[in-house]
Amino acid sequence: MPTYEEALQAIALARPDVIVMTAENRAAIRGLPAVLGERFVDVGICEQTMIGAAAGLALRGRTPVVHALASFLVMRAFEFIRTDVGIANLPVKLIGYVPGFLSDANGPTHQAIEDVALMRGIPNMQVFCPADAAELAAALPLLIDSRAPCYVRFNAMPPAVAHPTPFAIGKAEVLSRAPNAPHAPEIGSDAGAGGPGGRGVALLTYGFLLREVDRARALLEARGIPVELINLRSLKPLDEAAVLEAAARTRRLVAVEDHFQTGGLYSILAELLAHHAVACRLHSISLGERWFKPALLPDVLEHEGFTGPRIAERVLALL
Amino acid sequence: MPTYEEALQAIALARPDVIVMTAENRAAIRGLPAVLGERFVDVGICEQTMIGAAAGLALRGRTPVVHALASFLVMRAFEFIRTDVGIANLPVKLIGYVPGFLSDANGPTHQAIEDVALMRGIPNMQVFCPADAAELAAALPLLIDSRAPCYVRFNAMPPAVAHPTPFAIGKAEVLSRAPNAPHAPEIGSDAGAGGPGGRGVALLTYGFLLREVDRARALLEARGIPVELINLRSLKPLDEAAVLEAAARTRRLVAVEDHFQTGGLYSILAELLAHHAVACRLHSISLGERWFKPALLPDVLEHEGFTGPRIAERVLALL
Amino acid sequence: MMPPGAPRGAPGSDSDLSMDLSLLPPLALRVREHVVRMATDGGCFIGASLSCADLIVHLYTRVLRLSRETLADPGRDYLLLSKGHDVPALYATLAELGFMPRERLANHLKLHDSIYWHPNRGVPGVEFHSGSLGHLLAVATGIAYDIRLRGGANKVFVILGDGELDEGSVWEACLVASALRLDNLVAIVDRNEFQANLRTEELVPLEPIPAKFLAFGWSCATVDGHDFAALDAVVRPLGDAPAVPGKPSAVVARTVRGKGVPSIEARADRWFANFTAAEIEGLLGELHGGAAAGLTSEGLVVR
Amino acid sequence: MMPPGAPRGAPGSDSDLSMDLSLLPPLALRVREHVVRMATDGGCFIGASLSCADLIVHLYTRVLRLSRETLADPGRDYLLLSKGHDVPALYATLAELGFMPRERLANHLKLHDSIYWHPNRGVPGVEFHSGSLGHLLAVATGIAYDIRLRGGANKVFVILGDGELDEGSVWEACLVASALRLDNLVAIVDRNEFQANLRTEELVPLEPIPAKFLAFGWSCATVDGHDFAALDAVVRPLGDAPAVPGKPSAVVARTVRGKGVPSIEARADRWFANFTAAEIEGLLGELHGGAAAGLTSEGLVVR
Ligand SMILES: Cc1ncc(C[n+]2csc(CCOP(=O)(O)OP(=O)(O)O)c2C)c(N)n1
Ligand SMILES: Cc1ncc(C[n+]2csc(CCOP(=O)(O)OP(=O)(O)O)c2C)c(N)n1
Ligand SMILES: [Mg+2]
Ligand SMILES: [Mg+2]
């Protein structure tokens, strides 16, 4: 699999309309200035101007791929994104660096844990949250080909899991489906731990946390809980069918995300269930309504309860 | 009832900690500079600086009440609100002028129809949406007394309805409760038009639209539909009990709002129903995922389907 | 695609030469008439539109390489209204120059058209929507950068409000445009001395404006924004070449809010107006040198 | 409450006089040692911290009316780090001056403390959190305004990065502070010539910086940011009175990224560093005039 930089370089070399932009955030693309020359634009620490300029470039037929730290991209420049890119529905691709827990010890100013909420609220905007470097590289050509604006929760971590399903816009990856005849459940009162009429539990997640949630899945299965694991790499458009099927089978969904509880996956699922009038338990394992404790990533995961074992415990407690 | 300006003046005169600020938006408070002198600060067209400065004033023990057009307040200054006011949990009161449909012919740049979504997503931030001038004036002393930051969807329209219930933070106003023995329903297949096990329909709304929704209520009742009408003036904190009771009785909620479908009242209700695992139909009458057609207010309401009669029709179509 | 260096001016498809200077005053008068007529039945930002009517008329007739036929031509010059609430002056100019039928102006604020208080691309000739102050210099920067990448000779003009200069985003975009050495970019400040409710110097003093642009790496000239000959001397050459090679060009155009209608000139409470039909008649009279209109409707504070 | 005009300097509770100038170099050296020690086990923005270590040390010992006892006193002088990633230099200064125990520095990045990459109010002496560039001049404007409303004589100092000047919000706040005539406000620019990855003049040229502040209604002086006597001449008087009455004061402090540790000076790839324990020893040696540390860990591009 190419790295993000390699993938972007290949696309930019094949497509002269692609302009790579950054607001002093070139960590992931530092080799591109030499390759792209004037098609690489670093505007300095000017997130708002970068977005306005990207809109101007898009008006001229370009496809800007813009980079900045996720929190400053989606928040400092929010009104520029919504007004210049959103209203005009221009194909500007927003790449948010160190989102969620990945901002580790930077502190709340850098914590993009409302990015999904903000970006999905903008008409026309698509939202992608790759689980690892491979998924990111696989998604890139597709989302640059699309004419829609999009936000990418950048994540170039090592493979989270083996990916059986190629990336597609609007499609989830179903990583495990609850087996038909599981061991007898060890916990919970109702059979198979699912909600009324269902069995087992579906864990839905996205981005970097997939790795940990997959570990949690293994732990839960080892305890005899039937688990469905869904990688919701495309949050908007959403793979409604995949979610509704999981809901129908398990009657118990758990959204696991490094995001505030409001506005992210939990809200997406609540809206979907309401829209389809599906009776199904829905739980959130998220940051609730607070910023997380700044520290190095492994410490953050442990402290906030997002390692595989801690997630498994928290799921068990919900059943 | 005092006007907004009178109410704010009275509070500011009684409380020397109150500082009234605006970013060139003094339409509703134009008399205050003469009264408050240096405690009235117009920073010019500088929404971000206004918020940062308000945080600085709050650090010094002040309670800033800040005014700007809703879209520029909550969007241009979003990151300042979230970072300087939200993280520090400072008592800054944000007053958003011409929100929702009230921006009539200004166009999408001025349409604050994601303001509820944006503001309620910020930890600690409260969100109030008065239905008319009376409710706004009644709410003001309470929300300035509170130590929490808040956002007010400013609305000083003439009385929408008679208000039986005094404003209280976290409380809804239940304006009508479905009668026990309604006329036989004329439409819909299941008895009383409610969802399974319920009867009638609950209309939930906030702000300026209450007037139209109340008209819709009368029209629906005239057609024999039992209607509950709830004025959700305090969207955060939410009066969960009022909503859950309406859900239990009617099993059918309709959220009516001049807001995108995502993130506002519809999402709030979807999250609440999911959290409490309540089986209940939930519908949205909102702007969906698009900006509204700019025109004068009455034309907008007609065109977008938000007059009383059009709302009634749309509710009927849902049943 | 337009040949580079195509002649300027868009008086109509039958001409590709700049309009004669002597024709600008009567044209500007007709534009002002339209603007005044839009200040009823809902109203418009009349004061802000009248201050830059001459700027817009001059740009379209003497500067921009743009005609009805080249509205989508990548080689066209661009005009962006960053202070979008002056769009009535643009609607009127576009109608007078045949970019759209004059009748369409009667659709102002009507549901079945897109002629409302801020620009949008539903109107032919509008390059981009605006309304939120402080955006279009950034957008223009992107446009100008692409033009340079493609080796285009066309220019990008942006009209800014003076109050709009309060927005930090304007200065941020100035820094970036200067860093990118976009000398095909021109910002014209409609220096009408007022922001929404107050004189700029009484609220957020902006002077010295030229020193600001110079310190941010731009060239800067000052001009009387109601004097077509002066505009010809200062703005027209910027359609050919920047004032200083390698630098974006700023022009501070000294103007008067409500210019042409003495009853509303330099008055904050007549910035946005929604007059009665009778008042409109009076104001049109004033425009033609008649007596003061004797306005009776109350002044408005809309912001 | 502190008496207005209280003596300056916070060398410790037993003294209320400014620290003797001769004591500053050794103090700054100890501060730099702490900063270097924080550049491991996760690392820190070492380059950005070393460039303004002298500024911070000088402010705390020779300018600010502030001591351990007056940390919450409304009459205290304020120091705000708008370029928050230089906070290791502040942690170290606070520790050396007894605002917090030196041992707490060992908690850098640890879960049980609040000593992380950006300032927060969990650390005594930190007035406000930062990390998002371009915020604290606006916040300082509010603080300074309140001080004036209350008739206070205290001052508000803000340290800005030079790259931070890219952000339009800085210039917006400059306009507002000037409009409000906040002459109790002082902005010090850590002019280390670099933003995250490049030299400012190679990315977004900022010169002439003084002309920018002057055009925005501020006074502006320039000083060698590593020369305590020069800082005493330029910055210290601003603790008593503005350079120009009625205007906020800016000071451009010429500094060097990574100052004091030649191996990392003026190097973009050593702006943020996470060294091995052995490298840290080498760098501490350099700080004391020893041979080059012979760094082996790769340079980092973290932004
Ligand atoms: C970001 C933003 N903030 C506030 C407003 C509201 N507003 C519209 S025009 C205006 C005053 C503009 O003054 P100026 O730029 O001088 O334009 P003029 O009307 O004088 O031409 C204000 C505050 C806005 N449209 N956008
Ligand atoms: C709004 C915002 N955008 C981007 C960043 C990422 N960032 C942190 S420091 C930095 C460079 C700052 O350069 P400068 O102000 O010169 O500080 P120095 O490190 O040189 O002291 C950048 C781009 C940020 N923290 N905040
Ligand atoms: Mg003006
Ligand atoms: Mg620097």
Side-chain angles (χ1 to χ4, degrees):
Chain A
M1 255 297 163
T3 64
Y4 174 76
E5 184 168 35
E6 289 160 356
L8 182 54
Q9 172 170 326
I11 295 166
L13 289 179
R15 282 187 45 176
D17 61 307
V18 169
I19 305 268
V20 175
M21 305 181 79
T22 177
E24 265 261 273
N25 179 217
R26 61 173 71 195
I29 48 174
R30 69 193 83 162
L32 297 190
V35 182
L36 298 181
E38 288 208 289
R39 287 203 286 130
F40 182 97
V41 186
D42 187 337
V43 296
I45 314 170
C46 300
E47 293 84 3
Q48 294 186 326
T49 301
M50 175 171 68
I51 298 300
L57 285 160
L59 282 174
R60 296 274 303 174
R62 300 284 185 175
T63 302
V65 184
V66 310
H67 302 75
L69 294 194
S71 64
F72 311 127
L73 179 65
V74 305
M75 297 197 279
R76 180 64 141 267
F78 180 79
E79 196 230 3
F80 279 65
I81 294 176
R82 174 264 191 202
T83 289
D84 298 336
V85 175
I87 293 176
N89 195 8
L90 295 169
V92 175
K93 315 297 172 175
L94 309 164
I95 316 292
Y97 200 65
V98 294
F101 284 144
L102 299 182
S103 75
D104 53 354
N106 277 294
T109 55
H110 286 57
Q111 292 178 10
I113 49 181
E114 58 273 82
D115 53 340
V116 171
L118 292 172
M119 290 298 105
R120 82 181 179 97
I122 298 177
N124 311 312
M125 182 71 65
Q126 303 188 332
V127 178
F128 305 113
C129 302
D132 49 36
E135 207 162 283
L136 175 65
L140 199 63
L142 299 175
L143 60 91
I144 293 183
D145 271 349
S146 148
R147 299 306 296 155
C150 71
Y151 168 67
V152 179
R153 201 180 221 228
F154 183 91
N155 168 22
M157 303 281 270
V161 298
H163 292 292
T165 317
F167 180 91
I169 291 177
K171 288 285 166 213
E173 177 177 55
V174 180
L175 283 164
S176 78
R177 188 154 282 179
N180 280 328
H183 304 300
E186 293 176 23
I187 46 88
S189 51
D190 50 51
R199 43 180 306 108
V201 59
L203 306 183
L204 301 97
T205 192
Y206 56 88
F208 147 81
L209 280 178
L210 178 62
R211 182 185 73 190
E212 301 303 326
V213 179
D214 186 52
R215 288 178 183 158
R217 174 200 53 73
L219 294 168
L220 289 164
E221 283 175 354
R223 301 207 41 181
I225 317 280
V227 179
E228 306 222 353
L229 173 58
I230 302 186
N231 169 12
L232 277 171
R233 32 166 83 145
S234 172
L235 285 180
K236 187 183 167 198
L238 186 71
D239 189 339
E240 299 196 354
V243 175
L244 291 173
E245 278 164 32
R249 277 193 305 272
T250 64
R251 301 266 164 223
R252 191 181 292 277
L253 308 182
V254 183
V256 187
E257 53 190 329
D258 48 343
H259 195 279
F260 288 139
Q261 174 166 332
T262 295
L265 180 55
Y266 176 74
S267 296
I268 290 173
L269 298 178
E271 293 157 13
L272 183 75
L273 296 176
H275 183 71
H276 292 277
V278 172
C280 175
R281 299 303 307 258
L282 173 63
H283 305 277
S284 170
I285 294 183
S286 70
L287 288 164
E289 191 170 340
R290 57 177 188 77
W291 287 275
F292 63 82
K293 179 84 189 167
L296 297 177
L297 185 56
D299 289 341
V300 171
L301 292 184
E302 191 59 49
H303 182 78
E304 299 291 343
F306 282 81
T307 57
R310 295 282 284 108
I311 293 170
E313 274 170 37
R314 293 168 76 178
V315 171
L316 278 177
L318 292 172
L319 303 180
Chain B
M1 254 297 163
T3 63
Y4 174 74
E5 184 168 34
E6 289 160 355
L8 182 53
Q9 173 170 324
I11 295 166
L13 290 178
R15 281 187 45 176
D17 60 308
V18 169
I19 305 268
V20 176
M21 305 181 79
T22 177
E24 266 262 271
N25 180 216
R26 62 173 72 193
I29 48 174
R30 68 193 82 162
L32 297 189
V35 182
L36 298 181
E38 289 208 288
R39 285 202 287 132
F40 182 97
V41 185
D42 188 337
V43 297
I45 314 171
C46 301
E47 294 83 3
Q48 294 186 326
T49 301
M50 175 172 68
I51 298 299
L57 284 160
L59 283 175
R60 295 275 303 175
R62 301 284 185 175
T63 303
V65 183
V66 311
H67 301 76
L69 293 195
S71 63
F72 310 126
L73 179 65
V74 305
M75 297 197 280
R76 181 65 141 269
F78 180 79
E79 195 229 6
F80 279 67
I81 294 175
R82 173 265 193 203
T83 290
D84 298 335
V85 176
I87 293 176
N89 194 8
L90 294 170
V92 175
K93 315 297 169 173
L94 309 164
I95 316 293
Y97 200 65
V98 294
F101 283 143
L102 299 183
S103 75
D104 52 355
N106 278 292
T109 54
H110 286 59
Q111 293 179 10
I113 50 181
E114 60 275 79
D115 52 340
V116 171
L118 292 172
M119 290 297 105
R120 82 179 178 97
I122 298 176
N124 310 313
M125 183 70 66
Q126 303 188 332
V127 178
F128 306 113
C129 302
D132 51 34
E135 206 162 285
L136 175 65
L140 199 63
L142 299 175
L143 60 91
I144 293 183
D145 270 351
S146 147
R147 298 307 296 157
C150 72
Y151 168 67
V152 179
R153 204 178 216 227
F154 182 90
N155 167 22
M157 302 281 269
V161 297
H163 292 293
T165 318
F167 180 92
I169 292 177
K171 288 287 167 210
E173 178 178 52
V174 180
L175 283 163
S176 79
R177 187 155 283 182
N180 280 327
H183 304 298
E186 294 173 23
I187 48 88
S189 53
D190 51 48
R199 40 180 309 107
V201 59
L203 306 183
L204 300 97
T205 192
Y206 56 88
F208 145 81
L209 280 178
L210 178 61
R211 184 186 70 189
E212 301 302 328
V213 179
D214 186 51
R215 288 177 183 157
R217 173 199 55 75
L219 294 168
L220 289 165
E221 283 176 353
R223 303 209 36 183
I225 316 282
V227 179
E228 307 222 352
L229 174 57
I230 302 187
N231 170 12
L232 277 171
R233 34 169 79 146
S234 172
L235 285 180
K236 186 183 169 196
L238 184 73
D239 189 339
E240 301 196 353
V243 175
L244 291 173
E245 279 164 30
R249 277 193 305 270
T250 64
R251 299 268 163 222
R252 190 181 292 275
L253 308 183
V254 183
V256 186
E257 51 188 330
D258 47 342
H259 194 279
F260 289 139
Q261 174 166 333
T262 295
L265 180 55
Y266 176 74
S267 297
I268 291 173
L269 297 178
E271 293 157 12
L272 184 74
L273 295 177
H275 184 71
H276 292 276
V278 172
C280 174
R281 299 304 305 259
L282 173 63
H283 305 277
S284 170
I285 295 184
S286 69
L287 288 163
E289 191 169 341
R290 57 176 189 79
W291 286 275
F292 63 84
K293 179 83 188 167
L296 296 178
L297 185 56
D299 290 342
V300 172
L301 292 183
E302 191 59 49
H303 182 79
E304 299 292 344
F306 282 81
T307 58
R310 296 281 286 107
I311 293 170
E313 275 169 36
R314 293 168 77 178
V315 171
L316 278 177
L318 292 171
L319 300 181
Chain C
M1 159 121 180
M2 285 163 77
R8 287 183 287 199
S13 61
D14 49 346
S15 160
D16 57 6
L17 289 170
S18 300
M19 190 182 278
D20 194 87
L21 254 192
S22 66
L23 298 176
L24 270 59
L27 172 58
L29 184 63
R30 292 197 300 281
V31 164
R32 288 199 160 84
E33 287 175 3
H34 292 306
V35 169
V36 168
R37 286 204 185 89
M38 280 181 254
T40 184
D41 270 347
C44 77
F45 293 89
I46 182 171
S49 304
L50 294 174
S51 69
C52 69
D54 295 326
L55 293 174
I56 291 178
V57 163
H58 180 261
L59 281 163
Y60 270 90
T61 56
R62 302 281 302 171
V63 185
L64 302 176
R65 291 191 170 83
L66 179 71
S67 68
R68 286 203 303 263
E69 290 70 34
T70 59
L71 274 184
D73 191 303
R76 73 187 180 279
D77 287 342
Y78 284 74
L79 173 63
L80 298 159
L81 301 189
S82 194
K83 52 161 276 194
H85 57 291
D86 59 354
V87 70
L90 180 65
Y91 296 148
T93 304
L94 293 173
E96 280 298 319
L97 295 180
F99 287 72
M100 64 175 179
R102 287 198 186 80
E103 298 71 56
R104 230 180 126 175
L105 298 178
N107 299 345
H108 187 230
L109 310 184
K110 298 292 181 293
L111 279 170
H112 61 284
D113 205 337
S114 308
I115 316 268
Y116 52 84
W117 291 331
H118 292 102
N120 69 92
R121 292 196 288 163
V123 178
V126 170
E127 297 284 4
F128 204 57
H129 60 280
S130 60
S132 176
L133 297 168
H135 278 246
L136 292 207
L137 198 56
V139 174
T141 294
I143 295 173
Y145 190 78
D146 179 68
I147 290 173
R148 197 187 56 212
L149 279 188
R150 293 177 200 264
N154 39 335
K155 310 285 180 248
V156 185
F157 291 81
V158 185
I159 296 184
L160 301 168
D162 47 359
E164 187 178 9
L165 302 183
D166 288 1
E167 286 287 357
S169 58
V170 173
W171 301 104
E172 190 178 295
C174 278
L175 272 182
V176 173
S178 154
L180 297 175
R181 286 197 277 274
L182 295 175
D183 64 5
N184 53 355
L185 177 62
V186 181
I188 304 180
V189 178
D190 180 5
R191 180 63 172 127
N192 60 20
E193 304 274 347
F194 280 89
Q195 37 203 111
N197 304 308
L198 290 170
R199 287 187 180 275
T200 62
E201 302 313 288
E202 286 166 14
L203 186 60
V204 177
L206 295 168
E207 294 299 344
I209 295 178
K212 288 186 173 61
F213 280 104
L214 295 175
F216 276 69
W218 290 50
S219 74
C220 188
T222 299
V223 66
D224 178 340
H226 301 303
D227 178 337
F228 293 120
L231 288 169
D232 237 43
V234 172
V235 177
R236 189 173 151 93
L238 298 175
D240 291 320
V244 177
K247 292 190 176 199
S249 311
V251 176
V252 177
R254 286 189 314 266
T255 60
V256 176
R257 267 265 190 96
K259 174 74 181 180
V261 188
S263 293
I264 68 165
E265 273 180 16
R267 280 183 57 172
D269 65 340
R270 301 297 186 190
W271 173 54
F272 180 97
N274 186 10
F275 292 118
T276 63
E279 287 172 318
I280 296 290
E281 288 314 311
L283 294 169
L284 289 170
E286 267 191 42
L287 207 46
H288 288 272
L295 300 175
T296 52
S297 64
E298 258 186 79
L300 296 178
V301 178
V302 297
R303 290 291 179 263
Chain D
M1 159 123 180
M2 284 163 75
R8 290 183 288 201
S13 61
D14 48 346
S15 159
D16 55 6
L17 288 170
S18 301
M19 190 183 276
D20 194 86
L21 256 190
S22 66
L23 298 177
L24 270 59
L27 172 58
L29 183 62
R30 290 197 302 278
V31 164
R32 287 196 160 84
E33 288 176 0
H34 292 305
V35 169
V36 168
R37 286 204 185 90
M38 280 182 255
T40 184
D41 270 347
C44 77
F45 293 89
I46 181 171
S49 304
L50 293 174
S51 69
C52 68
D54 295 327
L55 292 174
I56 292 178
V57 163
H58 179 261
L59 281 164
Y60 271 90
T61 56
R62 302 280 304 171
V63 184
L64 302 177
R65 290 190 170 84
L66 178 71
S67 68
R68 284 204 306 263
E69 289 71 34
T70 59
L71 274 184
D73 191 305
R76 73 188 179 278
D77 288 341
Y78 284 74
L79 173 62
L80 298 160
L81 301 189
S82 194
K83 51 160 274 195
H85 57 290
D86 59 353
V87 68
L90 180 65
Y91 297 148
T93 305
L94 293 173
E96 280 298 320
L97 295 180
F99 288 71
M100 63 176 180
R102 286 197 186 81
E103 298 70 54
R104 233 180 123 175
L105 297 178
N107 299 346
H108 187 231
L109 309 184
K110 297 294 183 292
L111 279 171
H112 61 283
D113 205 336
S114 309
I115 315 269
Y116 52 85
W117 290 331
H118 293 101
N120 70 91
R121 292 196 288 163
V123 177
V126 170
E127 298 284 3
F128 204 56
H129 60 280
S130 61
S132 176
L133 298 168
H135 278 247
L136 292 207
L137 198 55
V139 173
T141 294
I143 295 172
Y145 191 78
D146 179 69
I147 291 173
R148 199 193 46 215
L149 280 187
R150 293 178 200 263
N154 38 335
K155 310 283 180 249
V156 184
F157 291 81
V158 184
I159 295 183
L160 300 168
D162 47 359
E164 186 178 10
L165 301 183
D166 288 1
E167 287 287 358
S169 59
V170 172
W171 300 104
E172 189 179 296
C174 278
L175 272 181
V176 174
S178 154
L180 297 174
R181 287 198 276 275
L182 294 175
D183 65 4
N184 54 355
L185 177 62
V186 181
I188 305 180
V189 178
D190 180 6
R191 181 65 172 123
N192 60 21
E193 304 274 348
F194 280 89
Q195 37 203 112
N197 304 307
L198 290 171
R199 285 188 181 273
T200 63
E201 301 312 288
E202 287 166 14
L203 185 61
V204 177
L206 294 169
E207 293 300 342
I209 295 177
K212 289 187 173 61
F213 280 104
L214 295 175
F216 275 69
W218 289 51
S219 73
C220 189
T222 298
V223 65
D224 178 339
H226 300 304
D227 177 337
F228 292 119
L231 288 169
D232 237 42
V234 172
V235 178
R236 187 172 151 95
L238 298 174
D240 291 320
V244 177
K247 294 189 174 199
S249 311
V251 175
V252 177
R254 288 190 313 269
T255 60
V256 177
R257 268 262 191 97
K259 174 72 180 182
V261 187
S263 293
I264 68 165
E265 272 180 18
R267 281 183 58 171
D269 66 339
R270 301 297 186 190
W271 172 55
F272 180 97
N274 187 10
F275 291 118
T276 63
E279 287 172 318
I280 296 290
E281 288 313 311
L283 294 168
L284 289 171
E286 268 193 41
L287 207 47
H288 289 271
L295 300 175
T296 52
S297 62
E298 258 186 79
L300 296 179
V301 178
V302 296
R303 289 292 179 263

